[in-house]
Amino acid sequence: MTADFATRVRAAVGRRGRLCVGIDPHAQLLTAWGLPDDATGLRTFTETVVGAIGPHVAVAKPQVAFYERHGSAGVAVLEDALAALRDAGVLVIADAKRGDIGSTMAAYADTWLGDTSPLRADALTASPYLGFGSLDPAVGLADATGRGVVVLARTSNPEGGGLQTAVDADGRSVAQSIVDAAALHNGSGRASVGLVVGATREHGLDLTGVGGPILAPGLGAQGATPADLARVFAGATDLLLPSASRQVLSAGPDGSAVAAVAQRLRDEVEAALR
Amino acid sequence: MTADFATRVRAAVGRRGRLCVGIDPHAQLLTAWGLPDDATGLRTFTETVVGAIGPHVAVAKPQVAFYERHGSAGVAVLEDALAALRDAGVLVIADAKRGDIGSTMAAYADTWLGDTSPLRADALTASPYLGFGSLDPAVGLADATGRGVVVLARTSNPEGGGLQTAVDADGRSVAQSIVDAAALHNGSGRASVGLVVGATREHGLDLTGVGGPILAPGLGAQGATPADLARVFAGATDLLLPSASRQVLSAGPDGSAVAAVAQRLRDEVEAALR
């Protein structure tokens, strides 16, 4: 049986460090790179970023919305990007925040975590509004294929607090209940479940024993420094995947400049989390 | 300025009734119809269903996961289906349960609610784990384009209860806080926000004054009868959109059989909610 997701992440970050580069080709960024806001511009942007970061980082996180926005032509660009990242030995977290129930959730799992799907990645971000248990079809397929499901727990955006800190019947916050469910799954079998926890504010969570990767968006231009990571995630930096997008991508359109910023930020993260 | 989403739904269901047909081409259904589980089978299935229901129902709800599952080729089938449903005068709720923040949420809004997107629909289902306010970019675009954002509130699946009934700092359940935010938006301006509330169990919500459509999955094979709708949604049946998938789709592969079941169920719903 293939190694589980946490084991694969551990091996990858041991070689290349913890930095996760977010690939977020929004309209203004395409314009800033001198590219048209269409599938052609999207392809040029993506190929440049993948070529630049492919040899240097352990994990990449394409933001699916920016591909979907260009319809089927944009999704075809994403398929090619996923293949190129696989070839470069980069683990890919498809940032799609999918979430549904039953056969629909199983279809999302097939899409992003199935061995033969044109959109297969190494992990999928998932949204648990329908309950952590509603993600079971994805977690089960991830267990089987050595892939991961990275579940939203506590995010940094100000609108997220009301829901994520609401208290359930067990007296726990919604966010902590997601963390606990992830820890329970990872502890009892395959460590296929990761969490999304924002890096730019105190999360208030007990993350001990999670046993899976913690994806922490917000590094760099979005506000968190490598030193913040060490403080906010004290005791849980082992499989921490801090994610930066803007700071890396704004170095383009020159691919070598993108590569240089990614390498520097990667090394700063490792130095801060040593 | 174009009519708002609630006004458009009211007009459509006044002409054709409240039934929403879910278009859920999962693998087993394609097989049951004698079709291959690939983009070709997906296209034949979808064209048959769209042709069958197009003249008869007010609202259709394609389940995006089942198109995404076939990659860019599947998404291209969905683009054509959305165009065909528009031509047939059917309002389309893209059931994608998207949810993100900032520029990413804006990209999902562009995709599903923008006037020029190949994937434009009349409304998008959205997941509020990142907070109702995180959906603002979609709600704002829906306000501007006469489209809708249909937000998950209280679902029927057993795994959803823990989170959706957790209590926030105002002493309200998470689900009720979503309902209240929808009512506030709809009451203060354009009625662009709808809700998803499952039909197969008591929802425990105060739905008075929502002012937007209530999408209620679970009609038919999934467990709820038209009579259940009248009881579960007493006082809120005005813009109720009960959704049925299996019961209608399992009548295929004969398109006229699909059309007949859809018409019969549509009429049963209207009789029960009169």
Side-chain angles (χ1 to χ4, degrees), chain A residues 43-239:
Chain A
R43 182 172 292 279
T44 301
F45 176 95
T46 303
E47 289 176 352
T48 301
V49 174
V50 169
I53 68 173
H56 304 299
V57 303
V59 185
K61 182 178 75 64
Q63 183 54 264
V64 174
F66 298 117
Y67 293 88
E68 196 169 287
R69 181 167 167 270
H70 298 278
S72 56
V75 174
V77 174
L78 180 58
E79 290 172 350
D80 293 342
L82 294 171
L85 288 163
R86 274 195 302 275
D87 289 347
V90 177
L91 289 181
V92 178
I93 301 172
D95 196 355
K97 299 187 177 68
R98 299 301 192 250
D100 213 299
I101 62 171
S103 62
T104 307
M105 191 65 224
Y108 282 130
D110 283 352
T111 305
W112 300 102
L113 307 174
D115 276 332
T116 60
S117 166
L119 286 168
R120 67 189 179 278
D122 296 288
L124 170 68
T125 60
S127 180
Y129 190 86
L130 302 172
F132 185 91
S134 68
L135 305 176
D136 275 354
V139 174
L141 188 59
D143 283 351
T145 62
R147 294 189 169 87
V149 181
V150 180
V151 185
L152 290 171
R154 184 73 177 96
T155 58
S156 296
N157 65 307
E159 312 89 359
L163 184 150
Q164 294 164 21
T165 66
V167 176
D168 71 11
D170 296 328
R172 286 178 306 190
S173 71
V174 163
Q176 186 67 49
S177 77
I178 301 296
V179 173
D180 293 351
L184 187 66
H185 179 85
N186 290 339
S188 64
R190 304 267 286 171
S192 306
V193 180
L195 297 168
V196 180
V197 179
T200 64
R201 63 166 63 195
E202 300 300 325
H203 51 69
L205 300 171
D206 177 2
L207 294 170
T208 54
V210 165
I214 297 174
L215 176 66
L219 182 65
Q222 289 138 284
T225 65
D228 290 336
L229 296 172
R231 182 177 46 78
V232 172
F233 294 98
T237 58
D238 182 21
L239 292 177

Side-chain angles (χ1 to χ4, degrees), chain B residues 115-141:
Chain B
D115 277 332
T116 60
S117 166
L119 286 168
R120 66 190 181 278
D122 297 287
L124 170 69
T125 60
S127 180
Y129 190 86
L130 302 173
F132 185 91
S134 68
L135 306 176
D136 276 354
V139 174
L141 188 59

